[in-house]
Amino acid sequence: MSLFEFVMQYWPRLLVGTGMTVAQFFLAAILGIVISLAMGLLKLAPSRPMRAFAITYIEIFRGTSLLVQLYWIFFVLPLFGFSIDKFTAGYLAVGMNIGAYGAELVRGGILSVPKGQWEAALAINMTPAQRMRRIILPQALVNMLPPWGNLMIELLKGTALVSLISVADLMFETKQINGSTFLSAQAFGAALIIYYVLARFMVTPFMRWLERYMARKMGRA
């Protein structure tokens, strides 16, 4: 069976799996961005306990395997009374993991803003929150977006692991089809192409558009 014939026969299941992958990606991306911003700011906070909390979070989630984190959230937390359904456990694990990496991008982006911008905001009597929201973060965002594009692609690829806790994403459906047909080349070839299309024609164009938009908004175009 050719790859084209395979896709024509199994496209409904591949489409359902792709939809689940996209849902996991978007939810994990939202969670990851929120965590990145929070932990990046906390790591720069003047309070030592806040910095310690952020550093501990970042080191744990960067220093351990995403797969182990996924298993902990889905299989171990219920032993302590925290039962989480598989769909939620999937995007929680991926989002919390990517948030640890994103926190360092946020911290680096903020520190890359020229010192003169901080001094100018202070000179016009802005509060720390106003300085960060209106002056520092917009400029830091422009610097952060290129590496964030790579991180979003890594996040997309990381969602494939949720199939291991039976979330019916693209990889789960692919393995199910392969298990019943033994058409490994066609099954995993189709999955490879779909992941590439999602990364190349969904994530990458959006991040590049966002980079151009923010650059124009900040007068850097």
Side-chain angles (χ1 to χ4, degrees), residues 7-220:
V7 172
M8 289 297 99
Q9 181 172 343
Y10 292 101
W11 72 265
R13 294 180 63 179
L14 294 173
L15 184 62
V16 170
T18 301
M20 183 65 72
T21 291
V22 171
Q24 285 280 318
F25 169 79
F26 277 115
L27 291 170
I30 292 170
L31 178 63
I33 290 169
V34 171
I35 291 175
S36 298
L37 183 60
M39 293 301 157
L41 291 173
L42 285 178
K43 196 169 181 181
L44 295 172
S47 169
R48 183 172 294 178
M50 289 183 177
R51 292 200 306 273
F53 174 76
I55 291 171
T56 301
Y57 177 92
I58 292 169
E59 292 304 316
I60 288 175
F61 279 88
R62 286 200 313 172
T64 57
S65 166
L66 171 56
L67 180 58
V68 175
Q69 295 162 19
L70 179 64
Y71 282 166
W72 256 86
I73 291 175
F74 187 65
F75 293 114
V76 180
L77 287 186
L79 302 178
F80 298 95
F82 300 98
S83 295
I84 303 175
D85 66 273
K86 59 188 179 183
F87 179 83
T88 304
Y91 74 78
L92 277 179
V94 179
M96 292 174 72
N97 178 271
I98 217 70
Y101 290 92
E104 288 299 305
L105 297 183
V106 171
R107 183 184 68 87
I110 291 173
L111 293 178
S112 70
V113 176
K115 186 178 179 180
Q117 297 294 316
W118 296 78
E119 295 172 346
L122 182 63
I124 57 177
N125 293 322
M126 282 187 171
T127 65
Q130 288 176 325
R131 290 199 300 269
M132 188 59 66
R133 179 172 57 87
R134 300 179 63 180
I135 303 296
I136 306 304
L137 275 181
Q139 296 182 68
L141 181 59
V142 176
N143 299 331
M144 285 187 279
L145 282 176
W148 262 103
N150 292 329
L151 199 60
M152 287 295 101
I153 292 176
E154 289 300 318
L155 187 155
L156 174 64
K157 293 187 291 186
T159 60
L161 290 178
V162 303
S163 65
L164 297 175
I165 57 171
S166 299
V167 176
D169 71 329
L170 174 59
M171 186 52 61
F172 179 85
E173 293 292 348
T174 300
K175 289 191 293 185
Q176 291 292 100
I177 295 170
N178 180 62
S180 61
T181 64
F182 299 101
L183 297 172
S184 301
Q186 293 89 335
F188 294 109
L192 184 149
I193 293 171
I194 293 171
Y195 276 111
Y196 174 78
V197 168
L198 290 176
R200 179 64 182 84
F201 298 103
M202 183 183 76
V203 179
T204 300
F206 174 75
M207 294 304 297
R208 287 179 178 172
W209 170 83
L210 191 58
E211 287 178 37
R212 293 193 298 269
Y213 172 78
M214 289 304 302
R216 287 197 302 270
K217 194 170 183 181
M218 297 303 298
R220 297 186 184 182

